[in-house]
Amino acid sequence: MLVRLLAFFLVATGGPTMLLYLYVLAAVIMRLLPHPWNMTPVGAMFLFSGATFRRKWDSLLIPLAALLVSDYAVIHVLYAGRYGWFSPYSWAGFLLVGIIGWALRDRITYATVATGSLAGSVVFFVISNFGVWAAGQLYPHTWTGLATCYLAGLPFFRNTAIGDMIYAGLMFGSYVLIRYRRPAEIRTA
């Protein structure tokens, strides 16, 4: 029933492009809801966008714009401005996850999504923790400080990898179900 309703919405609202925007919007909304630390759909949103948006620039810029807006909301609304808003290392990490999504274009299978999701989690972890070490005052700017930073980030990586796998599975799975397995009358509408 839900799949039929979403498939009908897909046709009624202008086709697959609108559906992709809805996935990005849903990821942003879910990020603003309560969740365990680092278990958000943002990484999956970039991977999914990289794999499904027709134009490669759109696949990076649309989720990036959504991320910037949601970052602003998280920092200024949820955390009342207690943290800095500017996080170029996190943004760069997510953009690289979107580029990993490019490798999934026309190759969406369980294995490629799982591999892409895990690769994206690792890339984001490496880039964002490097940024914490390089730009912050928490760890000395030595090799030991960098190793300590990565070690301290491992519990967050666990949640990131779990969240990315779950949300990527939901996004890609539902997209394939809606886009390619919907009733024939909707496919030809």
Side-chain angles (χ1 to χ4, degrees):
M1 176 68 177
L2 180 60
V3 172
R4 290 187 82 114
L5 181 63
L6 288 171
F8 174 77
F9 182 77
L10 171 69
V11 172
T13 58
T17 303
M18 181 56 74
L19 181 65
L20 300 177
Y21 285 108
L22 289 173
Y23 276 92
V24 171
L25 179 63
V28 168
I29 291 169
M30 291 177 73
R31 180 177 186 220
L32 300 176
L33 298 175
H35 58 272
W37 280 100
N38 282 34
M39 200 175 285
T40 68
V42 176
M45 172 183 72
F46 273 89
L47 186 70
F48 178 79
S49 296
T52 58
F53 272 83
R54 187 168 283 152
R55 294 192 307 245
K56 287 185 176 181
W57 281 112
D58 288 349
S59 76
L60 298 178
L61 295 178
I62 291 166
L64 180 62
L67 175 64
L68 295 176
V69 169
S70 68
D71 272 358
Y72 188 84
V74 166
I75 297 302
H76 288 89
V77 176
L78 296 179
Y79 295 127
R82 290 185 301 240
Y83 303 104
W85 176 75
F86 189 69
S87 62
Y89 288 98
S90 292
W91 300 337
F94 283 127
L95 286 172
L96 289 173
V97 174
I99 291 170
I100 291 170
W102 293 354
L104 274 63
R105 290 171 173 258
D106 301 320
R107 294 182 200 92
I108 297 174
T109 66
Y110 294 115
T112 59
V113 170
T115 302
S117 180
L118 185 58
S121 298
V122 169
V123 164
F124 179 78
F125 175 79
V126 169
I127 300 294
S128 64
N129 279 280
F130 179 81
V132 167
W133 173 78
Q137 304 298 320
L138 296 173
Y139 305 98
H141 289 178
T142 64
W143 288 110
T144 303
L146 180 60
T148 304
C149 179
Y150 281 117
L151 203 58
L154 284 177
F156 297 101
F157 172 72
R158 180 182 151 286
N159 281 0
T160 298
I162 291 169
D164 287 350
M165 285 287 201
I166 290 169
Y167 286 115
L170 288 171
M171 286 182 179
F172 282 96
S174 63
Y175 179 74
V176 167
L177 189 65
I178 293 166
R179 182 86 172 94
Y180 298 106
R181 307 226 192 269
R182 63 183 192 259
E185 67 272 8
I186 293 174
R187 246 183 279 150
T188 59

